[in-house]
């Protein structure tokens, strides 16, 4: 018999983050090349991703709401501050 492994929740989060990060970079090209210094998630009606990006001169805080079953993704917060 063949046993199928379910993806771990960690790998699902990583896959979700890849999609979210690609979306953020497409909407805010100034973040291309920025270092992601913090990521956390919150399960709501979907998932909120709290992401901190840092460039040489600024820190950006981004919140992205994703509902994969609806093919929905939206930046709900985007703030920046000088380093």
């Amino acid at each position: 018999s063949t046993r199928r492994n379910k993806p771990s929740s960690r790998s699902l989060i990583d896959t979700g983050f890849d999609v979210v990060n690609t979306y953020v970079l497409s909407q805010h090209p100034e973040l291309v090349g920025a270092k992601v210094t913090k990521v956390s998630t919150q399960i709501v009606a979907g998932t909120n991703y709290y992401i901190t990006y840092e460039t040489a001169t600024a820190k950006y805080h981004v919140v992205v709401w994703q509902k994969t079953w609806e093919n929905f993704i939206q930046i709900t917060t985007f703030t920046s501050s000088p380093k």
Side-chain angles (χ1 to χ4, degrees):
S1 73
T2 302
R3 186 172 180 184
R4 294 188 180 180
N5 293 329
K6 289 167 109 179
S8 70
S9 54
R10 179 82 240 151
S11 68
L12 291 173
I13 289 169
D14 291 345
T15 300
F17 174 73
D18 289 343
V19 170
V20 167
N21 187 52
T22 298
Y23 176 73
V24 170
L25 297 179
S26 74
Q27 300 300 303
H28 292 279
E30 69 271 25
L31 296 179
V32 171
K35 180 178 181 182
V36 174
T37 58
K38 185 176 178 184
V39 176
S40 62
T41 60
Q42 175 189 25
I43 304 302
V44 289
T47 304
N48 279 328
Y49 288 83
Y50 299 87
I51 310 165
T52 302
Y53 294 88
E54 290 189 34
T55 65
T57 58
K59 186 181 279 193
Y60 299 84
H61 299 282
V62 183
V63 180
V64 181
W65 180 24
Q66 181 185 40
K67 295 189 279 185
T68 55
W69 67 94
E70 291 182 6
N71 233 4
F72 174 88
I73 189 167
Q74 178 182 357
I75 294 172
T76 56
T77 305
F78 184 90
T79 60
S80 64
S81 58
K83 278 179 105 175

